[in-house]
């Protein structure tokens, strides 16, 4: 599984995140998962790590979006999405840009109080030209877990850059204005234009309905044309994968943050031991000692 934290069990930043209608926001919530709102006027919501899961499938957590204030009229430039970004160097075995480009399959469990057709896209950022494919899916029954699967042919046209940058973004749409849908759904890899970013998305009801809910869990992205059973990892293994991008060191109550020394009258030097090698040099925040390097 190329997705990190696809069962949503790791959430170092907390269990609940509030989003207000402040125009445009992109923020991490549950580890590796970002929530994006663009150009909204009224919408606010809560994104949380929830215990509502499909029965008997081995999951204990999901990501939940709960609408508070509903968005009014949907403008052409408005969007609401959940996404995860992947490093280019983790995708080299797909052999994109060659005749041997491999098929991939994306599978996930989804549940919503709103039925209809929702957009799903994979967007790739490449210096030679961005690429995109759309695979919209339909939620048939309200408040019922449904498993969705889509298989995508390999891209024989453009290779994936072999670096630690964000080269693939898997995007689940909850709202998409006409500026991102008028080009329609592209079922195979094509050159990116903004009017196909949300191609195939039709149901904006979650952000436009107060109290509406949308859940997702069991996200898997794998080589091949068959969705295999979800690759459950131990908590420790999944945590280590997440700490490549974000590490929260809790201080206080006798916990040691660092061993160091006073190197000047107004300066203290110390050493922090990272639990794993981060993607690149991180920034640091001090409410709690946190190191992060977003992808």
């Amino acid at each position: 599984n190329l997705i990190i934290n696809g069962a949503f069990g790791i959430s170092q930043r907390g269990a609940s995140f509030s989003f207000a209608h402040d125009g445009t926001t992109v923020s991490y919530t549950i580890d590796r998962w970002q929530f994006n709102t663009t150009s909204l006027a009224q919408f606010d919501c809560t994104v949380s790590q929830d215990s509502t899961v499909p029965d008997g499938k081995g999951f204990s957590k999901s990501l939940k979006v709960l609408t508070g204030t509903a968005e009014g009229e949907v403008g052409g430039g408005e969007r609401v999405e959940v996404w995860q970004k992947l490093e280019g160097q983790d995708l080299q075995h797909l052999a994109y840009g060659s005749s041997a480009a491999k098929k991939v399959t994306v599978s996930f469990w989804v549940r919503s109080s709103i039925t209809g057709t929702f957009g799903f896209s994979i967007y790739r950022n490449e210096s030679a030209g961005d690429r995109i494919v759309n695979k919209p899916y339909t939620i048939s029954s309200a408040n019922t877990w449904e498993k969705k699967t889509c298989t995508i042919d390999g891209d024989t046209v453009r290779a994936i850059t072999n670096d630690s940058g964000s080269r693939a973004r898997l995007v689940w749409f909850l709202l998409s204005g006409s500026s991102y849908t008028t080009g329609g759904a592209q079922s195979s890899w094509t050159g990116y234009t903004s009017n196909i970013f949300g191609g195939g998305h039709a149901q904006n009801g979650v952000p436009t309905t107060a109290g509406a809910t949308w859940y997702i869990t069991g996200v898997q992205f794998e080589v091949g044309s068959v969705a295999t059973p979800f690759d459950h990892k131990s908590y420790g293994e999944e945590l280590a994968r997440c700490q490549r991008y974000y590490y929260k060191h809790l201080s206080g109550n006798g916990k040691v943050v660092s061993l160091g020394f006073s190197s000047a009258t107004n300066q203290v030097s110390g050493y922090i031991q990272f639990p794993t090698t981060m993607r690149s040099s991180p920034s640091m925040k001090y409410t709690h000692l946190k190191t992060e390097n977003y992808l």
Side-chain angles (χ1 to χ4, degrees), residues 19-222:
F19 293 87
H21 51 275
D22 55 355
T24 299
T25 299
V26 180
S27 180
Y28 277 95
T29 57
I30 298 171
D31 276 55
R32 299 307 309 127
W33 293 93
Q34 283 185 307
F35 187 73
N36 174 64
T37 65
T38 299
S39 302
L40 299 179
Q42 296 89 26
F43 174 69
D44 62 49
C45 72
T46 301
V47 178
S48 60
Q49 184 188 46
D50 199 82
S51 58
T52 302
V53 293
D55 290 339
K57 305 303 178 183
F59 303 110
S60 61
K61 299 296 181 183
S62 62
L63 181 147
K64 175 185 179 182
V65 178
L66 170 63
T67 299
T69 303
E71 184 71 1
E73 182 179 354
V74 177
E78 294 186 349
R79 295 187 352 234
V80 178
E81 303 129 358
V82 173
W83 68 47
Q84 182 168 141
K85 300 174 183 177
L86 303 178
E87 294 180 43
Q89 61 191 2
D90 291 332
L91 304 173
Q92 295 306 301
H93 61 298
L94 302 184
Y96 279 15
S98 75
S99 59
K102 296 179 174 63
K103 292 179 182 287
V104 295
T105 296
V106 180
S107 57
F108 55 94
W109 288 88
V110 66
R111 166 181 171 147
S112 180
S113 61
I114 305 294
T115 61
T117 300
F118 293 74
F120 170 74
S121 300
I122 303 180
Y123 163 79
R124 287 174 35 226
N125 174 27
E126 299 293 344
S127 59
D130 297 346
R131 305 284 281 173
I132 194 165
V133 63
N134 313 118
K135 292 290 182 177
Y137 65 95
T138 299
I139 295 178
S140 303
S141 300
N143 302 312
T144 303
W145 283 103
E146 299 175 4
K147 186 175 183 180
K148 307 300 176 183
T149 300
C150 64
T151 298
I152 302 163
D153 288 336
D155 185 0
T156 60
V157 173
R158 186 148 299 140
I160 299 172
T161 301
N162 186 13
D163 64 8
S164 62
S166 170
R167 297 302 176 183
R169 184 188 312 176
L170 280 68
V171 186
W172 286 260
F173 289 84
L174 300 183
L175 181 148
S176 184
S178 59
S179 297
Y180 305 101
T181 60
T182 54
Q186 310 299 309
S187 60
S188 58
W189 287 107
T190 189
Y192 171 79
T193 56
S194 61
N195 68 339
I196 58 175
F197 186 53
H201 180 83
Q203 177 53 273
N204 292 324
V206 174
T208 59
T209 305
T213 56
W214 182 87
Y215 301 81
I216 189 169
T217 195
V219 183
Q220 186 143 290
F221 178 36
E222 58 190 316

